[in-house]
Amino acid sequence: MMTEGSHSRSGAAQVVFTPSGRRGRFPAGTKILDAARALGVDLDSVCGGRGICGRCQVVQSIGEFPKHGVASRADHLSAFGPIEQRYHDKRAPLAPGRRLGCSTEIRGDVVIDVPPDSQVHRQVVRKRAEVHAIRVDPVVRLHFIEVTPPDMHEPAGDLRRVEAALREEWGVEGVRCDLAVLETLQTTLRSGEWRVTVAVHGGRDVIGVWPGFRDKAYGAAVDVGSTTIAAHLCELSSGEVVASAGAMNPQIRFGEDLMSRVSYVMMHPGGEREMTAAVRVAIRGLLHEAAAEAGIAPEEILDVTLVGNPIMHHLLLGLSPVELGQAPFALAVDAAVNLTAGALDLGLHPGARAYVLPCVAGHVGADTAGVILSEAPYLRDEINLVVDVGTNAEIVLGSRERMLAASSPTGPAFEGAQISCGQRAAPGAVERVRIDPITLEPRYRVIGNEAWSDEPGFAAAGGAVTGICGSGIIEVVAEMYLAGIVDEDGVILPGGAGRSGRIVEDGRTFAYVLHRGDVEVRVTQNDVRAIQLAKAALYAGVRLLMDRLGVERVDRIRLAGAFGSHIDVKYAMVLGLVPDCALEHVTSAGNAAGTGARIALLDRSARPEIERTVRRIEKVETAVEPRFQAHFVEAMAIPHKTAAYPELAKAVVLPARKSARAGGEGVGRRRRRGRLR
Ligand code: FES
């Protein structure tokens, strides 16, 4: 790439992307997707430029653009090509003017518009494979063998000669063989002229045989969340994620949250069968979609690992979750479950296997086992706190010495539910907020729009604001606290004469108006209360585990899950979601549950490791712990009653407060002026 300002060279075309406004010079022949990537433009791609996913669609803006100094003519892009034609014919029709960025070449100066549906951040399901170093030693291995043909003088069956070849060439002993493999074994051996590739699971189970040489086998790691399901398809020998797919969990139609799904089963005997069927169909669909994106047949998938919270785990396996809805929250099975993928009706290779990670306890499921595998606190010397925030917060605390786990009932506020203008993370949801401590005017960013609300690109990209998502509500409440709009008790203070009109009366309390437009987005006193309750539940659960472990501080905090991946950890500290810790040691763990499933898929030693680890974790039941309530009450304050947060105060709180005071009325005066409740 030649950036703007470098001398124009022959053949270099000026490329301007909208709405981001990013621009640069590229040699003729450069693909649009490559130019976008070089410039950091938010252009999606799931299939890696194979012309399969259609996520890289762009539209050329044609005409003179004096503002950009560009004449964007139709022939400045390569003609509609065979890859696009194939996508158009075989996958989905391309709307007029739409081009695939991965196959369209730049031939001259162009202005390229990236529509909202082609931007990565339009993604609703945000669970993507994280970059994580994983040892690759999969449970399923392919072995190419040459089998001795049968002989009139040697009456051994075909399988016995396959076993001999596996033993002699690959050291595989004690072979067992699926009936499904036996059914095709003779024809496969003969069509391959006695040279075949065998898939062996766990070092002894022959689960597939193909004629000739084959060097690729696939597996999938699936994270069954109560809201979303994400699947990552991996090539087993390289460990590479070759495709990812995500979808909403269809069980939502039976109940938004976990307990309402348990209630559904209680009120509709046999209702678990409907939910089991729904989730299996969804997983099957995702795996087939991922296979199509990777250009393979679903029958090439030989192994699947799955994680999910206890209720998702039971519903996936076809087990009633009713016992999980009431004390003592007994699981039907807490050990890891090994079964055939066929038993889950996933429509994969007939010999494909499935492995469901173990559950920790009735409230702490296989998803937490995945988080533990991914974060490996059991291998560390320092005290680690790992928190996976969802409708419940799963909390793991400890080190190689001792590990504790609990689940705390945070409720759905962190996911945008129970918030007056709350919504799921989707296009139009406010996800980032800054409030000027002097004027109290906000700036914000919404999902699907790269620009901040006060930047020209914001309106250009549609400027639609529909609500606030979980990470947005954390930021706005934290910013309201930093700007002195909310006090330590979580009370929204009155705006006062001459102050910003952003603080408005709302019955007997006040609300902060974040966005005015077709949809007014405001943060009410009840919203702040909902966040206080959620964060107090989380913090109280953490404190309980710290009491048990006998520690006052933790050395490292990792925030996992979709919510943990998208909140700015600084704001988690400002609100006191987690205990005091040096800010640089508080980080996001991404989708750690999904990463754990991927580790279990790709590294055979991880399975016994997590099974051993889970059994030695001490479970703490927050519901019956008397100190939980005391910690909960203390944690209602912002950040929390016992907060020291020295680094945070230095870095964030004090400067914001100082500038608020310098700006005029100051936080203290506004607070002293009294409050309405
Ligand atoms: Fe998938 Fe272009 S990147 S179709």
Side-chain angles (χ1 to χ4, degrees):
M1 181 187 79
M2 286 154 269
T3 54
E4 191 199 17
S6 65
H7 293 295
S8 175
R9 297 171 201 175
S10 82
Q14 180 77 263
V15 182
V16 180
F17 285 96
T18 57
S20 65
R22 300 199 176 185
R23 60 196 292 158
R25 287 187 179 277
F26 295 88
T30 305
K31 301 266 183 8
I32 291 174
L33 182 61
D34 294 335
R37 283 178 171 162
L39 292 170
V41 170
D42 190 14
L43 177 58
D44 202 1
S45 161
V46 169
C47 71
R50 292 192 178 103
I52 296 169
C53 67
R55 300 273 179 92
C56 61
Q57 293 183 33
V58 293
V59 178
Q60 182 188 8
S61 302
I62 295 175
E64 299 279 341
F65 295 88
K67 181 172 114 192
H68 300 308
V70 168
S72 175
R73 296 206 327 251
D75 62 354
H76 286 181
L77 288 182
S78 58
F80 199 80
I83 293 174
E84 290 167 304
Q85 194 62 52
R86 189 187 63 199
Y87 180 85
H88 181 77
D89 295 341
K90 300 237 155 77
R91 299 201 163 267
L94 281 167
R98 289 273 179 129
R99 305 295 306 270
L100 291 184
C102 63
S103 68
T104 306
E105 291 178 2
I106 294 158
R107 299 272 162 84
D109 294 354
V110 278
V111 175
I112 301 291
D113 186 54
V114 181
D117 54 302
S118 294
Q119 294 170 11
V120 177
H121 290 105
R122 65 107 176 68
Q123 191 68 27
V124 177
V125 178
R126 299 204 274 190
K127 294 179 176 179
R128 297 245 162 192
E130 317 293 328
V131 176
H132 193 285
I134 299 174
R135 199 172 76 102
V136 179
D137 180 16
V139 177
V140 175
R141 296 208 157 243
L142 295 180
H143 297 303
F144 179 67
I145 53 173
E146 295 191 40
V147 180
T148 312
D151 185 322
M152 289 292 282
H153 305 291
E154 175 52 70
D158 282 353
L159 178 61
R160 192 182 301 280
R161 278 173 285 107
V162 168
E163 287 171 3
L166 279 171
R167 187 170 53 248
E168 285 157 20
E169 292 181 43
W170 297 97
V172 177
E173 298 280 357
V175 164
R176 298 182 301 202
C177 187
D178 283 4
L179 182 59
V181 173
L182 279 179
E183 285 169 0
T184 58
L185 183 64
Q186 294 202 300
T187 49
T188 306
L189 285 170
R190 282 151 186 85
S191 68
E193 297 175 339
W194 307 99
R195 293 151 64 94
V196 293
T197 302
V198 179
V200 177
H201 179 278
R204 63 187 292 185
D205 290 338
V206 173
I207 61 171
V209 183
W210 297 266
F213 178 74
R214 190 182 190 91
D215 64 350
K216 290 212 181 334
Y218 297 86
V222 183
D223 177 8
V224 188
S226 42
T227 308
T228 60
I229 305 175
H232 301 302
L233 180 64
C234 301
E235 200 283 300
L236 290 176
S237 62
S238 66
E240 186 195 348
V241 177
V242 293
S244 298
M248 302 303 285
N249 187 331
Q251 292 174 344
I252 283 176
R253 69 173 184 268
F254 301 96
E256 183 85 7
D257 58 48
L258 288 170
M259 286 322 295
S260 55
R261 286 180 220 174
V262 175
S263 305
Y264 181 84
V265 177
M266 287 173 167
M267 291 161 64
H268 301 83
E272 72 270 23
R273 285 197 290 276
E274 292 174 71
M275 282 194 270
T276 296
V279 75
R280 288 180 182 176
V281 166
I283 295 170
R284 179 189 173 115
L286 283 182
L287 295 180
H288 286 221
E289 183 187 327
E293 282 184 7
I296 66 164
E299 291 74 25
E300 292 179 69
I301 301 176
L302 301 177
D303 200 13
V304 181
T305 53
L306 301 114
V307 294
N309 64 51
I311 292 170
M312 292 301 100
H313 169 277
H314 274 41
L315 288 172
L316 168 71
L317 290 172
L319 307 171
S320 167
V322 166
E323 289 300 325
L324 298 170
Q326 57 204 19
F329 313 107
L331 290 152
V333 55
D334 57 4
V337 178
N338 283 284
L339 67 172
T340 62
L344 299 176
D345 201 17
L346 299 182
L348 309 177
H349 186 279
R353 297 295 199 264
Y355 175 82
V356 186
L357 273 72
C359 288
V360 181
H363 272 150
V364 188
D367 50 351
T368 306
V371 171
I372 292 168
L373 193 50
S374 171
E375 290 298 305
Y378 55 89
L379 297 178
R380 294 174 178 273
D381 292 323
E382 73 272 26
I383 303 292
N384 283 264
L385 171 65
V386 187
V387 178
D388 192 346
V389 182
T391 310
N392 284 319
E394 277 79 44
I395 307 162
V396 178
L397 180 72
S399 63
R400 71 169 76 238
E401 293 291 317
R402 191 178 169 201
M403 300 252 300
L404 303 168
S407 172
S408 209
T410 46
F414 289 151
E415 294 182 335
Q418 288 179 353
I419 301 296
S420 58
C421 292
Q423 69 162 84
R424 286 217 179 83
V430 173
E431 61 170 352
R432 293 275 172 263
V433 179
R434 300 289 179 270
I435 297 176
D436 185 310
I438 299 166
T439 65
L440 307 190
E441 283 299 302
R443 308 167 66 226
Y444 44 84
R445 240 177 55 191
V446 299
I447 297 175
N449 192 337
E450 283 176 39
W452 285 82
S453 56
D454 58 350
E455 293 173 350
F458 186 79
V465 180
T466 51
I468 314 178
C469 68
S471 57
I473 190 73
I474 292 296
E475 289 207 4
V476 71
V477 174
E479 282 281 328
M480 285 166 71
Y481 170 68
L482 292 174
I485 298 167
V486 158
D487 70 6
E488 284 85 353
D489 296 327
V491 175
I492 300 179
L493 302 169
R499 297 288 295 176
S500 164
R502 292 276 171 181
I503 302 171
V504 297
E505 285 194 29
D506 184 27
R508 298 181 60 223
T509 56
F510 292 96
Y512 177 75
V513 180
L514 180 63
H515 168 78
R516 295 190 176 99
D518 294 346
V519 177
E520 184 177 89
V521 177
R522 52 167 63 189
V523 181
T524 67
Q525 185 61 65
N526 280 342
D527 296 339
V528 178
R529 282 279 174 263
I531 289 300
Q532 280 181 286
L533 290 169
K535 72 110 184 171
L538 171 57
Y539 184 80
V542 173
R543 278 304 314 184
L544 211 53
L545 294 193
M546 291 171 71
D547 289 352
R548 272 291 179 92
L549 200 61
V551 296
E552 271 307 308
R553 276 185 74 88
V554 299
D555 300 314
R556 179 173 175 266
I557 299 178
R558 297 279 282 166
L559 301 173
F563 174 80
S565 310
H566 290 95
I567 54 171
D568 184 328
V569 293
K570 187 175 70 196
Y571 291 108
M573 295 292 282
V574 168
L575 283 189
L577 264 64
V578 287
D580 298 336
C581 183
L583 200 53
E584 66 271 24
H585 294 147
V586 186
T587 48
S588 166
N591 175 21
T595 305
R598 204 152 46 93
I599 294 171
L601 177 72
L602 297 172
D603 179 2
R604 65 165 75 193
S605 69
R607 299 186 186 187
E609 184 172 310
I610 191 59
E611 290 166 21
R612 278 194 309 272
T613 302
V614 157
R615 295 284 73 86
R616 73 178 186 87
I617 293 175
E618 299 167 44
K619 295 89 186 171
V620 177
E621 184 52 67
T622 51
V624 297
E625 283 282 343
R627 284 186 62 83
F628 182 81
Q629 197 56 30
H631 284 314
F632 182 86
V633 171
E634 286 207 334
M636 282 293 284
I638 300 174
H640 49 81
K641 274 258 155 48
T642 54
Y645 63 108
E647 300 89 353
L648 183 72
K650 251 186 266 160
V652 185
V653 180
L654 296 181
R657 297 258 155 152
K658 219 166 130 192
S659 84
R661 286 192 190 100
E665 187 173 1
V667 177
R669 255 181 75 194
R670 297 184 53 237
R671 191 164 290 127
R672 283 194 299 276
R673 245 198 346 255
R675 56 180 73 137
L676 290 176
R677 284 182 192 261

